[in-house]
Amino acid sequence: MISLMQLLLLPQATAFHITTTNHHHHRCCHSSSPRSLKATSTVDDPNIQHIRQILMDKKQELLGGIFIDKPSNKLSEQSPLSIVEADNNLRDAYLTTEERVYETLLSSRLDLPFLNRSVVGPSKIEGAGRGLFAIEDIKEGDVISCYPGDALLCELPSSSTEQDDDLDSYDFDDDEYEAVDEVVLWGAHVPKKDRWDDDTVFDGSESDPPLTSYAVTVNDVYSVMGHPSLDDNPAYIGHFANDGAGHLAYEKQDSPDNIEASVELGLDTESIDFAVEDNIAAYVLRSFDVANAMHQPLDADELHMVTVATRDIKKGEEILVTYGPDYWISDYAGHMADFEDD
């Protein structure tokens, strides 16, 4: 019988990773770019080059006419910030100007009126709430929408040795540093009334799920989170794409859907060991089968995240992605922890 660990080591699942933090919070995070859903080349999509050029122009605007180690007024005004002033002061001691520019571009919503291919509406998936739908035919490899960085999750490095007082930058790739905490940075465009405190970001509230349920990993340091209240800009609504098979992770292992999917995987559904891991197996099979899009960096510079079609999509189709087994494992664990606390 395939174990859960073996399943997570299968080629289609190797891009997923369990995300933990030193906050005492529950965090769910979507993976970006599972290998078996890798989108085809997007060089034929003119929107790719257009977005790249706008990002480069914006970068030059933020860097223009300043010393590389001294932020400009414009950069200071547009940089993402934590609502915790102590976090901002700590980061001021480390961040270089180029690192600030990177965070600013990753968290910005640019003016992209040409990117109008999808709309938010009631999902066809029972219990999923809102979903994302194509309003025109979209070719495989084309950008559907950007995935917004309304808030960033940024890992803070900590040195195992005493830092020099005059240290003015850090190297995320330096083995001397270990990520020990995360800070939530809000994009300058997000109204202050819509900026959640850290408890709500990680744990949610009575009316809202955790903002981390909208998080997508960019790299080892940053994840982007789309705000559920910001839903009226078609260029930045990638965070409303649902997972078409996520419900299987919560169904009982002997449900018809799980039995059917598990049989297709070659699992022994009559075994006394047929359990939760088989729910995850069924989920993986179905999720990859129905997905028609994925979230990925725009290019190697990782200045923006985009939602890209992994096959041709017809007008009116719901845009579906794969969150990954770790998302549902983490989400399930969070629900169990909340249940035990009650």
Side-chain angles (χ1 to χ4, degrees):
M1 180 175 178
I2 297 176
S3 69
L4 180 57
M5 182 58 68
Q6 289 173 317
L7 175 65
L8 295 180
L9 292 177
L10 289 174
Q12 71 266 27
T14 52
F16 301 125
H17 61 279
I18 295 175
T19 311
T20 59
T21 96
N22 284 337
H23 287 288
H24 298 293
H25 298 285
H26 163 55
R27 173 182 174 185
C28 301
C29 193
H30 311 179
S31 172
S32 60
S33 304
R35 283 195 309 210
S36 67
L37 283 182
K38 190 65 178 177
T40 56
S41 173
T42 55
V43 293
D44 293 333
D45 182 2
N47 289 331
I48 292 290
Q49 295 302 326
H50 201 167
I51 297 171
R52 282 177 180 164
Q53 186 58 56
I54 292 173
L55 281 167
M56 290 302 100
D57 291 346
K58 182 70 173 179
K59 182 177 182 179
Q60 291 305 311
E61 176 187 324
L62 294 171
L63 285 172
I66 64 173
F67 294 104
I68 199 65
D69 60 347
K70 183 179 180 181
S72 67
N73 290 336
K74 184 168 292 188
L75 179 57
S76 298
E77 293 169 358
Q78 298 180 22
S79 293
L81 294 173
S82 169
I83 63 172
V84 180
E85 192 58 32
D87 287 341
N88 295 323
N89 293 336
L90 176 63
R91 286 162 46 75
D92 283 343
Y94 294 107
L95 284 182
T96 66
T97 296
E98 288 196 335
E99 288 164 345
R100 286 187 184 279
V101 169
Y102 174 80
E103 290 184 351
T104 301
L105 294 174
L106 187 61
S107 64
S108 294
R109 286 191 174 214
L110 306 171
D111 184 18
L112 308 175
F114 52 87
L115 197 56
N116 186 12
R117 291 176 158 177
S118 56
V119 66
V120 177
S123 176
K124 297 177 181 178
I125 302 170
E126 184 177 356
R130 292 179 293 177
L132 188 63
F133 295 85
I135 59 173
E136 65 181 27
D137 291 346
I138 302 173
K139 294 189 302 181
E140 177 182 352
D142 280 4
V143 171
I144 301 168
S145 184
C146 294
Y147 198 104
D150 298 324
L152 305 181
L153 279 179
C154 173
E155 290 191 352
L156 293 175
S158 176
S159 175
S160 57
T161 61
E162 186 175 352
Q163 298 179 17
D164 296 333
D165 291 338
D166 61 349
L167 184 64
D168 59 2
S169 68
Y170 56 78
D171 182 359
F172 285 118
D173 295 324
D174 192 337
D175 291 338
E176 180 183 1
Y177 292 95
E178 296 179 0
V180 297
D181 208 350
E182 287 181 317
V183 61
V184 179
L185 306 174
W186 290 95
H189 63 278
V190 179
K192 290 186 176 181
K193 64 180 179 62
D194 291 328
R195 301 182 186 187
W196 299 356
D197 60 47
D198 284 4
D199 285 340
T200 306
V201 168
F202 287 94
D203 299 331
S205 65
E206 292 184 0
S207 58
D208 295 297
L211 194 64
T212 52
S213 65
Y214 291 91
V216 168
T217 301
V218 180
N219 50 45
D220 290 341
V221 178
Y222 293 99
S223 297
V224 292
M225 297 184 288
H227 200 298
S229 296
L230 304 181
D231 59 2
D232 58 353
N233 183 349
Y236 287 93
I237 49 177
H239 54 308
F240 290 101
N242 286 314
D243 186 320
H247 63 286
L248 292 178
Y250 286 145
E251 288 188 14
K252 293 182 178 180
Q253 58 264 26
D254 59 354
S255 71
D257 285 337
N258 273 325
I259 291 293
E260 179 184 355
S262 297
V263 168
E264 291 183 29
L265 277 176
L267 302 178
D268 183 4
T269 59
E270 303 298 326
S271 170
I272 59 173
D273 296 325
F274 188 71
V276 174
E277 61 188 34
D278 300 290
N279 291 50
I280 305 301
Y283 155 73
V284 170
L285 180 66
R286 288 289 185 236
S287 185
F288 278 81
D289 184 53
V290 301
N292 56 19
M294 62 179 287
H295 308 307
Q296 66 179 44
L298 178 70
D299 54 26
D301 291 334
E302 299 178 343
L303 299 177
H304 245 46
M305 293 294 288
V306 291
T307 304
V308 178
T310 56
R311 63 168 174 78
D312 291 346
I313 300 173
K314 295 293 186 182
K315 178 180 178 180
E317 274 193 74
E318 183 165 3
I319 309 300
L320 300 172
V321 297
T322 294
Y323 291 177
D326 294 327
Y327 172 88
W328 297 105
I329 293 171
S330 179
D331 192 48
Y332 180 79
H335 282 295
M336 290 298 98
D338 292 341
F339 178 77
E340 291 173 1
D341 289 341
D342 293 339

